[in-house]
Amino acid sequence: MWSPMPGAGRQREMLCFMPGVAAVPALLVCWSSAAFIISYVIAVLAGHVEPLVPYISDTGTKPPESGVFGFMINISALLGAITMYIRYLIIEKQNESLRFVRSSCNMFSLCIGLMGCTGMGIVATFQELSVPSVHDIGALVAFGCGVVYITLQSIISYKSCPQWNTYFVCHIRMLISLISCISFIPMIVFASRISMTKIDWTPSEKDYTYHFMSAICEWTVAFGFVFFFLTFIKDFQRVTLRISTEIHEES
């Protein structure tokens, strides 16, 4: 179970890394950013991709970066699912005192988010060149559900104002959502026009322009997710999570 952090206990909670459960979205942001950057650096240094805006998946296709990419993205998917579930619990608790959103809408948002995390796991497990069709489906689910999730969360944030969120934070979340939505559409359109599956692109090749534009949009959407979860940290600071264990003796 969880409960809002009592004011008298704030000083004790500050002894931890962060008050409340803010460490969860903070870890998600840091770990996901590191997953993208480390895989990119290894792939470029190994000569497997060109430095100029490869697809994120291209940086995790060949060894040794494929192992790093798969491991770190799977952990990111798990952290994302945990963060989304805690966010769901927070909204449910806030809703008890101020009915600003339907519980079914909150649950729908959670389910969409978990589907996106599942898509991330598929992307991490099935490499682009090994099983391209499964990989592409996972990427579509991850990005599509991710965009829907952050848009729903932005709307819910506005509904919870001004008691549980400031309008400034809501504006930031909606801006990130709009940028991600706008980038998601051309990402899919340009990717659909690419007639070959490869990772070592050069500017003189056919379809390079489509690849380049789609890759820019993909990185924009991916880091849009990262920055969106960054806005959760302050909300999570006001929350404590407690696990209760009970042992029932056999009669």
Side-chain angles (χ1 to χ4, degrees):
M1 60 181 294
W2 81 279
S3 60
M5 181 183 297
R10 255 172 216 176
Q11 294 300 320
R12 293 194 299 272
E13 295 291 342
M14 286 298 291
L15 296 176
C16 301
F17 172 69
M18 283 186 175
V21 288
V24 178
L27 181 59
L28 170 62
V29 168
C30 294
W31 186 273
S32 299
S33 300
F36 297 145
I37 295 170
I38 292 173
S39 299
Y40 170 81
V41 170
I42 296 175
V44 170
L45 293 178
H48 295 159
V49 297
E50 290 296 316
L52 186 60
V53 198
Y55 276 129
I56 295 174
S57 298
D58 291 351
T59 67
T61 299
K62 294 183 178 180
E65 62 268 18
S66 60
V68 175
F69 181 84
F71 171 73
M72 296 192 73
I73 294 299
N74 273 316
I75 297 296
S76 291
L78 176 61
L79 289 172
I82 294 172
T83 301
M84 292 172 182
Y85 181 63
I86 295 176
R87 172 67 176 170
Y88 164 80
L89 293 178
I90 291 173
I91 294 173
E92 285 295 292
K93 192 68 175 179
Q94 292 173 343
N95 226 16
E96 292 179 2
S97 58
L98 178 66
R99 296 289 298 181
F100 57 88
V101 66
R102 293 182 179 179
S103 294
S104 58
C105 180
N106 190 26
M107 175 59 73
F108 177 73
S109 177
L110 173 64
C111 292
I112 290 293
L114 294 180
M115 286 177 61
C117 294
T118 303
M120 284 182 64
I122 293 173
V123 168
T125 305
F126 298 94
Q127 273 76 33
E128 182 180 4
L129 297 181
S130 300
V131 196
S133 58
V134 177
H135 178 91
D136 291 344
I137 291 173
L140 183 62
V141 171
F143 283 103
C145 291
V147 166
V148 174
Y149 176 79
I150 64 174
T151 302
L152 289 174
Q153 286 298 316
S154 298
I155 296 172
I156 291 174
S157 296
Y158 272 112
K159 288 181 174 294
S160 68
C161 282
Q163 182 170 351
W164 298 111
N165 277 292
T166 64
Y167 281 104
F168 175 75
V169 171
C170 294
H171 295 337
I172 293 296
R173 288 177 182 171
M174 184 56 73
L175 177 62
I176 295 173
S177 300
L178 289 175
I179 292 173
S180 298
C181 289
I182 293 171
S183 300
F184 175 73
I185 296 173
M187 180 188 81
I188 300 300
V189 172
F190 286 125
S192 66
R193 300 181 68 89
I194 299 174
S195 58
M196 65 188 82
T197 301
K198 58 179 299 183
I199 64 173
D200 51 342
W201 289 88
T202 56
S204 59
E205 289 183 296
K206 176 188 176 183
D207 296 337
Y208 175 78
T209 301
Y210 296 139
H211 160 78
F212 180 74
M213 296 303 297
S214 180
I216 289 177
C217 293
E218 183 186 56
W219 281 95
T220 301
V221 176
F223 274 96
F225 296 156
V226 171
F227 288 121
F228 189 90
F229 285 114
L230 189 64
T231 68
F232 278 178
I233 292 178
K234 187 174 181 62
D235 293 346
F236 280 44
Q237 286 178 339
R238 299 192 294 264
V239 172
T240 56
L241 186 66
R242 297 185 180 92
I243 299 176
S244 176
T245 303
E246 296 181 5
I247 299 178
H248 301 279
E249 297 182 1
E250 294 183 2
S251 57

